[in-house]
Amino acid sequence: MAHANTIFHQVLSLIPRTEFEALAKKYSTGRAFRSFSRWNQFACLLFIHLAGRQSMRDGIRSLGANIRQMYHLGLRSVARSTFADANSKRPAEFFQAIFGKLYQRCSSVAPGHKFRFKAKLYSFDSSVIKLCLSAFPWASYRAKRGGLKIHTVLDHDGYLPAFVRVTNARLHDSKMVKMLRLPKGSIAVFDKAYINYSWFRTLSASGLFFVTRLKTNAVYKVLKRNPVRKSTGVTSDHVIVVFSQDKELHLRRVGYRDPETGKFYEFLTNHLNLSAKTIADIYKERWQIETFFRLIKQNLRLKSFVGTSENAVLSQIYVAMIAYLMLAWLKFKSSVAFSLQEMFQLLQVNLFDRREMEDIFKPPDAFHDNINNDYRLLSYVA
């Protein structure tokens, strides 16, 4: 039988060690790690996510039980106190940098978005993670509740998180957009929380386009009415002018009634060339970022944390994003038919199997499935 490394070994190999060590040196605290390396810390955090461990004790104990299978990876058993100290004191910006490098690799092999236009498409949104204020006093949110907000830009080429920042939950979404740098000609789609006419003017001047919802209390003047095909659900297509800081801003307003639900929407954009129906479809595609948030919260450890310090929580969140990109990379390169959620579930129960990675994503044929069922029956008889 041909030798095969464990599935966990093959997952870790997706991170080039030379690149990892170069970043570890860049983000070094100046202290030499005698027994518990950065690589060891990363492997432990990644294992907790992929194996679905519920706590630090659970994760360390489970990984320690299989440590003999990973000695060739340079991993060692670690005391809970040592792991907690590393998560608390080693800068989380290191894992943020690893995430950025891995996104660049994934985006180079990701499939394109579903639309015919060639411009890049991004969605903006944020999601709040609720925390216990007594355990996380630095994350004050409301009177008796703590919280963090994960601000994310989703690249619709492969639905990859291109930008992730974690802040206090009190920070308004509109304050984060000033940090964003998107390729010229890109289209950004976001909800009404990001509406800021001054920022819209900056986007237009930078050669960027956007699609959002029109606020119900918006004041504007119609300059031009374009013809529409009402059979597509589009009810109106207007060029309008709004005023911001005594300056005019020409935009486009698209009215749309969803044929399935009957709900009426008003969209706002600075893109004058795409069809009105495409503008409506672009905003509908924004739902993919909601799907992304639901996926990571259901399959990764983002509701229970292995540390209570701010740095430990940030480290765990950025490693969760790295885990997501790792599975996306595997999906793109192997063209498996499973969804990312199904891939998470299969990895969770096969991390220490010794076989080729692609084998766990292949549907079993009927013959082998019958044999496996026979063995299960025999085990019950014995």
Side-chain angles (χ1 to χ4, degrees):
M1 180 181 295
H3 170 77
N5 290 316
T6 63
I7 298 298
F8 188 49
H9 179 285
Q10 294 172 63
V11 171
L12 283 172
S13 66
L14 298 178
I15 303 292
R17 284 297 295 272
T18 53
E19 186 177 274
F20 185 95
E21 297 301 337
L23 287 173
K25 185 177 181 180
K26 180 180 179 180
Y27 289 90
S28 172
T29 59
R31 293 177 56 192
F33 306 134
R34 290 177 295 179
S35 59
F36 190 56
S37 66
R38 267 291 200 180
W39 178 252
N40 217 334
Q41 180 194 7
F42 169 67
C44 290
L45 285 170
L46 183 66
F47 172 78
I48 287 171
H49 283 296
L50 296 181
R53 299 298 89 190
Q54 298 298 321
S55 65
M56 181 189 297
R57 180 181 285 105
D58 183 18
I60 293 298
R61 185 180 296 159
S62 300
L63 189 60
N66 295 278
I67 203 68
R68 290 186 178 181
Q69 301 187 56
M70 295 179 293
Y71 68 92
H72 50 286
L73 288 175
L75 303 184
R76 299 180 180 181
S77 297
V78 59
R80 190 159 55 93
S81 59
T82 303
F83 186 44
D85 186 62
N87 293 333
S88 179
K89 296 181 179 179
R90 298 178 186 178
E93 289 79 11
F94 166 73
F95 296 117
Q96 185 179 348
I98 293 290
F99 162 79
K101 290 287 187 181
L102 191 55
Y103 165 69
Q104 293 175 6
R105 290 183 61 203
C106 288
S107 61
S108 66
V109 297
H113 55 66
K114 59 184 286 186
F115 296 96
R116 291 184 179 180
F117 57 80
K118 296 182 179 180
K120 292 282 290 184
L121 178 62
Y122 298 94
S123 291
F124 301 171
D125 210 346
S126 65
S127 183
V128 173
I129 297 177
K130 297 178 182 178
L131 299 173
C132 175
L133 192 56
S134 61
F136 304 88
W138 48 268
S140 60
Y141 176 31
R142 293 176 180 169
K144 298 181 179 180
R145 182 180 298 173
L148 292 175
K149 187 178 283 188
I150 303 179
H151 303 267
T152 303
V153 175
L154 189 72
D155 183 350
H156 284 249
D157 289 356
Y159 301 122
L160 301 173
F163 171 93
V164 175
R165 289 294 183 275
V166 184
T167 68
N168 189 285
R170 289 180 176 178
L171 186 71
H172 195 272
D173 292 349
S174 61
K175 294 184 178 181
M176 284 299 298
V177 295
K178 297 178 181 179
M179 299 177 59
L180 301 177
R181 298 293 183 270
L182 300 178
K184 188 175 182 179
S186 301
I187 301 175
V189 54
F190 43 84
D191 62 19
K192 291 184 283 189
Y194 293 89
I195 288 183
N196 183 308
Y197 292 135
S198 297
W199 179 52
F200 289 173
R201 187 178 292 108
T202 301
L203 289 178
S204 297
S206 302
L208 299 174
F209 301 98
F210 65 85
V211 176
T212 186
R213 294 272 300 278
L214 183 69
K215 285 189 174 181
T216 55
N217 62 349
V219 178
Y220 60 90
K221 180 181 178 181
V222 177
L223 299 180
K224 181 182 177 181
R225 300 176 187 273
N226 298 319
V228 298
R229 294 175 56 192
K230 293 192 175 182
S231 60
T232 63
V234 177
T235 60
S236 59
D237 184 2
H238 299 158
V239 176
I240 66 173
V241 60
V242 298
F243 295 90
S244 169
Q245 299 177 349
D246 298 325
K247 295 181 180 179
E248 291 187 357
L249 180 62
H250 289 209
L251 298 171
R252 183 182 180 191
R253 173 197 166 275
V254 174
Y256 177 76
R257 189 172 298 279
D258 191 325
E260 297 180 2
T261 64
K263 292 183 178 180
F264 179 71
Y265 301 92
E266 290 179 293
F267 303 116
L268 193 65
T269 181
N270 64 341
H271 206 305
L272 304 179
N273 297 325
L274 293 176
S275 71
K277 180 60 166 59
T278 300
I279 297 299
D281 290 340
I282 286 174
Y283 192 84
K284 187 176 182 179
E285 181 74 354
R286 193 197 72 85
W287 184 253
Q288 292 297 331
I289 198 168
E290 305 290 351
T291 302
F292 166 77
F293 284 131
R294 186 172 65 248
L295 177 67
I296 61 174
K297 286 185 176 181
Q298 288 178 349
N299 296 278
L300 297 169
R301 296 300 97 196
L302 293 179
K303 292 184 178 179
S304 59
F305 292 92
V306 298
T308 57
S309 70
E310 182 176 7
N311 192 77
V313 170
L314 293 180
S315 296
Q316 188 169 337
I317 290 175
Y318 282 117
V319 174
M321 297 300 170
I322 293 171
Y324 180 93
L325 289 178
M326 283 176 152
L327 261 70
W329 170 270
L330 290 172
K331 183 174 176 63
F332 299 154
K333 296 296 286 184
S334 61
S335 300
V336 299
F338 290 106
S339 67
L340 285 179
Q341 182 171 19
E342 291 170 328
M343 292 177 70
F344 272 116
Q345 293 168 344
L346 288 170
L347 277 179
Q348 186 172 336
V349 296
N350 290 284
L351 276 179
F352 294 107
D353 283 7
R354 289 187 176 275
R355 49 176 168 158
E356 295 301 325
M357 176 86 70
E358 57 268 22
D359 289 346
I360 68 173
F361 301 126
K362 291 180 180 178
D365 57 57
F367 174 75
H368 286 92
D369 203 38
N370 289 335
I371 291 178
N372 289 335
N373 286 333
D374 290 342
Y375 278 115
R376 292 192 193 102
L377 289 173
L378 287 171
S379 66
Y380 283 118
V381 173

